[in-house]
């Protein structure tokens, strides 16, 4: 019953919103391949939807229900860093420590400095931005689910709202080391690749309803597929394994560590799955209720 109720975006959102006013972030402590433990690191604002980590280990969440960003230090000290636009769904941090959120309700991106100075309406973007990513030059990119495109914002805040067209309902976005952009397209079950010049192509197919995307150091793309409870792998050449690894129920977030291990945050089963580079999947540890995002520190 939990599985069927959690399939829909709004049904899942309403279930969490009704039950949670202030959420808690879980920290996973890894002690070898067979051991993992979970603890509460710190509290956040209402209904956190996405998570990011900076170079010194601070954690940031985009709080959809309270229109702000929380900061949690490695010691677990939690504060509200600054306000955002309406309904922030995505979050990213650049190399200078600035925080950015993709605000679905106001179709813009907010910028918050490390000191907490917030520009809530920093730059306009396309319709229904669900996620964003920063490249090594400080450019920001948003995946706009309502307008099926990607926006690009320069470090100076100059926005090209329709920079590149992608698949249907992009819900996640990432950047590789060469600066190529990738989106996970929820309704068309595929991944788009956009070059530095803004040329967009479909790289490969995925499982059902991909809602998270990440890239490893070799340029392989992985998606968390909410509708089929699995992870897809697409090589840089576009060779796709749509069901590369089975994970927990309704995975939403996905990330990769420096060794090439993949991790998913599984919304309905409230746990984290770990997948080795060889594709072996295990349930790593339980989390708080209905995790939506995941990240890994250095």
């Amino acid at each position: 019953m939990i599985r069927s109720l959690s399939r829909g975006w709004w049904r899942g959102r309403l279930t969490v919103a009704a039950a949670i006013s202030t959420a808690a972030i879980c920290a996973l402590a890894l002690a070898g391949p067979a051991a993992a433990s979970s603890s509460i690191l710190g509290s956040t604002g209402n209904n956190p939807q996405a998570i990011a980590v900076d170079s010194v280990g601070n954690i940031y969440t985009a709080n959809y229900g309270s229109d702000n960003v929380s900061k949690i230090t490695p010691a677990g000290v939690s504060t509200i860093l600054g306000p955002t636009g309406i309904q922030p769904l995505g979050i990213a941090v650049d190399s200078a420590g600035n925080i950015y959120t993709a605000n679905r309700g106001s179709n813009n991106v907010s910028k918050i400095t490390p000191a907490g100075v917030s520009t809530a309406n920093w730059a306009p973007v396309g319709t229904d931005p669900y996620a964003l990513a920063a490249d090594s030059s400080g450019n920001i990119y948003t995946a706009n689910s309502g307008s099926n495109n990607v926006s690009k914002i320069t470090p100076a805040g100059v926005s090209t709202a329709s920079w590149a067209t992608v698949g249907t309902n992009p819900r996640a976005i990432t950047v590789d080391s060469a600066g190529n952009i990738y989106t996970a397209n929820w309704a068309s079950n595929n991944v788009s690749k956009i070059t530095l010049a803004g040329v967009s192509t479909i790289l490969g197919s995925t499982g059902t309803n991909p809602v998270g995307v990440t890239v490893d150091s070799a340029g392989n793309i992985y998606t968390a597929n909410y509708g089929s409870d699995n992870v897809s792998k697409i090589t840089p050449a576009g060779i796709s394994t749509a069901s590369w690894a089975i994970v927990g129920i309704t995975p939403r977030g996905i990330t990769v560590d420096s060794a090439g291990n993949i991790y998913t945050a599984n919304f309905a089963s409230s746990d984290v799955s770990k997948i080795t580079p060889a594709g072996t999947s295990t349930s790593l540890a339980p989390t708080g209720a209905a995790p939506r995002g995941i990240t890994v520190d250095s």
Side-chain angles (χ1 to χ4, degrees), residues 158-180:
V158 178
S159 177
T160 304
S162 184
W163 179 63
T165 300
V166 294
T168 309
N169 300 140
R171 297 284 178 91
I173 191 166
T174 194
V175 185
D176 69 16
S177 59
N180 298 298

Side-chain angles (χ1 to χ4, degrees), residues 46 48 50 73 100 115 123 125 135 144 153 157 180 192 207 221 223 232 235-236 242 248 265 269-271 286 289 292:
N46 293 345
T73 69
Y100 305 87
V125 294
D135 69 15
N144 307 314
I153 310 168
N180 298 298
S192 295
I221 302 298
T223 64
S232 300
T235 69
S269 51
S270 297
D271 62 357
R292 290 177 181 264

Side-chain angles (χ1 to χ4, degrees), residues 42 70 114 118 122 127-128 142 188 197-198 205 225 240 245 259 270 277 280 291 297:
S70 295
S118 177
W122 181 60
T127 307
D128 290 345
T142 64
S188 53
S205 59
N225 306 314
S240 177
S270 297
T280 302
D297 67 17

Side-chain angles (χ1 to χ4, degrees), residues 4-287:
S4 63
L5 285 175
S6 299
R7 289 292 184 190
W9 170 258
W10 286 110
R11 284 177 292 173
R13 180 182 302 288
L14 291 173
T15 299
V16 177
I20 302 174
S21 58
T22 298
I25 294 298
C26 287
L28 299 179
L30 305 184
S37 62
S38 175
S39 62
I40 298 300
L41 178 65
S43 60
T44 69
N46 293 345
N47 202 355
Q49 294 289 322
I51 189 168
V53 61
D54 67 18
S55 59
V56 295
N58 295 302
I59 301 293
Y60 304 89
T61 63
N63 305 317
Y64 183 91
S66 50
D67 299 336
N68 55 22
V69 165
S70 295
K71 175 182 178 179
I72 308 174
T73 69
V77 178
S78 177
T79 57
I80 297 297
L81 183 64
T84 67
I86 301 171
Q87 297 172 339
L89 273 178
I91 193 166
V93 56
D94 68 16
S95 59
N98 297 298
I99 305 300
Y100 305 87
T101 63
N103 308 312
R104 183 175 184 237
S106 48
N107 297 325
N108 60 11
V109 166
S110 300
K111 177 179 180 179
I112 308 175
T113 69
V117 178
S118 177
T119 306
N121 185 11
W122 181 60
V125 294
T127 307
D128 290 345
Y130 265 66
L132 79 171
D135 69 15
S136 59
S137 299
N139 298 298
I140 302 297
Y141 304 87
T142 64
N144 307 314
S145 183
S147 49
N148 301 326
N149 59 14
V150 166
S151 300
K152 178 180 179 178
I153 310 168
T154 69
V158 178
S159 177
T160 304
S162 184
W163 179 63
T165 300
V166 294
T168 309
N169 300 140
R171 297 284 178 91
I173 191 166
T174 194
V175 185
D176 69 16
S177 59
N180 298 298
I181 308 297
Y182 304 87
T183 63
N185 307 315
W186 167 275
S188 53
N189 299 324
N190 55 23
V191 166
S192 295
K193 176 182 178 179
I194 311 168
T195 67
L196 286 169
V199 178
S200 177
T201 57
I202 297 298
L203 180 65
S205 59
T206 69
T208 307
N209 301 141
V211 73
V213 66
T214 193
V215 58
D216 67 18
S217 59
N220 298 298
I221 302 298
Y222 304 87
T223 64
N225 306 314
Y226 186 87
S228 50
D229 302 335
N230 58 14
V231 166
S232 300
K233 178 180 179 179
I234 308 175
T235 69
I239 299 172
S240 177
T241 306
S243 183
W244 178 64
I246 304 300
V247 293
I249 304 173
T250 58
R252 292 191 61 91
I254 190 167
T255 193
V256 60
D257 68 18
S258 58
N261 298 297
I262 306 297
Y263 304 87
T264 63
N266 307 313
F267 181 87
S269 51
S270 297
D271 62 357
V272 165
S273 295
K274 176 182 179 181
I275 311 167
T276 68
T280 302
S281 178
T282 56
S283 179
L284 186 65
T287 68

